[in-house]
Amino acid sequence: MNSNQIPQEFIDIIDIQIEKFKQHIDIVKKDKIPLKKDEITSEQSQKWVQIDNVICVYVDMKNSTQYSASSHASTTGKIYTLFTGTAVRVLKKFGASYIDIRGDGVFGLFNKDEVHKALASAVTFKTFATEVFIPKISAKRKDLNTGVHIGIDQGNLLVSKIGLKKYKNTTDAFNEVWAGKPVNFASKLAGLSESNEIHVSERYYKNITNQKALYSCKCSAPVLLWTSVDLRFEQKLPFDKAMKLESPWCKKHGSETLKEIIATDG
């Protein structure tokens, strides 16, 4: 690469990053997701933090591109505020240690011992989407086919802060980067959903132990709520199958069931 192809000032930036690439990176292992910003290393330290078996809940708005293409700016803003703002607050209320927004999607990270809290957050947001979000949006725009896609995966993650620290009046471009499969795969699992479904990986599903999280409400005879999804021909994911949940919280016993499920995590 030379200055005839790219101006030297940009070559200098690239060269500095190449030198960083050559240096050794240390991995600092932690049992739980860091709650304080200063517990997450930065690229200057040449360290990354690794947390094992992190659970990622990813929620994504269905057909969001239709809004910006066909709605007034104020309507689009209200739709995103309702969807994204609720997602962030629901995930936070259930104890997600880290929450981030990616366009029209939101993800929350839970520790390995919060399997049922993670699921409860997903079912709660799904219930909000079916009972509140979809009816409100459909009332304004009957031509918009909206909903929510939700995916959950569990695995090891690396995190470090990369970018430029805020200096004087400059914009802060110094953010946490989560490297690993759970966030990526949770997003792809969410993308499998036709509408208002929760898709989870087998490695997460096997950690669900509370029977009320697996079977139908006491309103009727217990029936397994989850169905298997064949992924053998799905190139985006390395799993042979996922598990799918379509049910929201029961209108009669949902609140009671939710409390019992999250109590499983202690």
Side-chain angles (χ1 to χ4, degrees):
M1 187 176 294
N2 58 65
S3 57
N4 291 323
Q5 184 179 13
I6 297 178
Q8 186 61 45
E9 60 193 287
F10 297 104
I11 293 176
D12 292 342
I13 292 172
I14 295 168
D15 286 343
I16 290 171
Q17 295 305 117
I18 290 173
E19 287 305 310
K20 289 182 182 179
F21 176 75
K22 293 177 181 178
Q23 296 175 19
H24 174 73
I25 292 289
D26 290 321
I27 303 299
V28 180
K29 293 190 176 183
K30 291 186 178 290
D31 291 331
K32 292 185 177 293
I33 300 164
L35 293 177
K36 296 180 180 178
K37 292 280 187 180
D38 57 7
E39 292 183 64
I40 299 177
T41 58
S42 68
E43 64 175 295
Q44 285 78 18
S45 70
Q46 295 299 115
K47 294 179 181 179
W48 282 70
V49 174
Q50 177 179 306
I51 312 102
D52 293 341
N53 288 313
V54 175
I55 302 161
C56 179
V57 177
Y58 197 101
V59 304
D60 190 35
M61 196 189 308
K62 179 182 178 181
N63 292 332
S64 60
T65 53
Q66 291 183 10
Y67 308 143
S68 55
S70 59
S71 300
H72 293 296
S74 60
T75 301
T76 299
K78 289 198 293 184
I79 291 171
Y80 272 80
T81 299
L82 178 59
F83 185 92
T84 306
T86 303
V88 169
R89 286 164 176 79
V90 167
L91 289 165
K92 185 66 176 177
K93 190 67 175 177
F94 277 96
S97 297
Y98 185 89
I99 301 167
D100 201 1
I101 299 171
R102 290 188 172 183
D104 56 2
V106 179
F107 73 82
L109 300 179
F110 293 82
N111 289 303
K112 59 187 176 184
D113 58 354
E114 298 174 316
V115 171
H116 297 85
K117 290 178 183 177
L119 178 62
S121 74
V123 180
T124 298
F125 191 76
K126 170 184 163 48
T127 305
F128 152 77
T130 55
E131 298 291 328
V132 179
F133 182 71
I134 295 172
K136 283 190 175 295
I137 303 309
S138 297
K140 284 185 171 292
R141 292 292 306 273
K142 298 186 185 304
D143 58 318
L144 293 180
N145 179 17
T146 191
V148 63
H149 306 303
I150 304 176
I152 306 178
D153 187 32
Q154 183 169 8
N156 298 345
L157 275 178
L158 293 170
V159 61
S160 183
K161 286 182 283 193
I162 295 178
L164 303 172
K165 290 185 178 180
K166 185 179 289 187
Y167 178 72
K168 293 184 178 180
N169 295 322
T170 60
T171 301
D172 189 4
F174 192 58
N175 298 306
E176 295 83 6
V177 174
W178 295 89
K181 296 176 181 178
V183 176
N184 187 32
F185 288 167
S187 172
K188 292 184 186 304
L189 284 164
L192 297 176
S193 171
E194 288 297 322
S195 183
N196 312 318
E197 301 165 346
I198 301 173
H199 283 77
V200 309
S201 63
E202 270 197 298
R203 60 186 181 184
Y204 166 76
Y205 179 78
K206 71 180 183 180
N207 293 322
I208 301 173
T209 59
N210 190 305
Q211 296 299 294
K212 292 191 175 182
L214 299 170
Y215 290 88
S216 58
C217 180
K218 60 185 179 182
C219 291
S220 59
V223 176
L224 184 64
L225 293 171
W226 298 81
T227 56
S228 177
V229 179
D230 188 352
L231 297 180
R232 287 176 297 173
F233 305 104
E234 178 59 57
Q235 296 181 351
K236 295 180 180 179
L237 290 161
F239 316 128
D240 285 336
K241 73 173 184 178
M243 300 301 291
K244 178 177 70 173
L245 177 68
E246 298 179 274
S247 301
W249 292 120
C250 170
K251 292 185 177 181
K252 187 174 181 180
H253 302 105
S255 181
E256 172 190 334
T257 302
L258 185 158
K259 292 176 183 177
E260 290 185 27
I261 288 174
I262 62 175
T264 309
D265 295 336

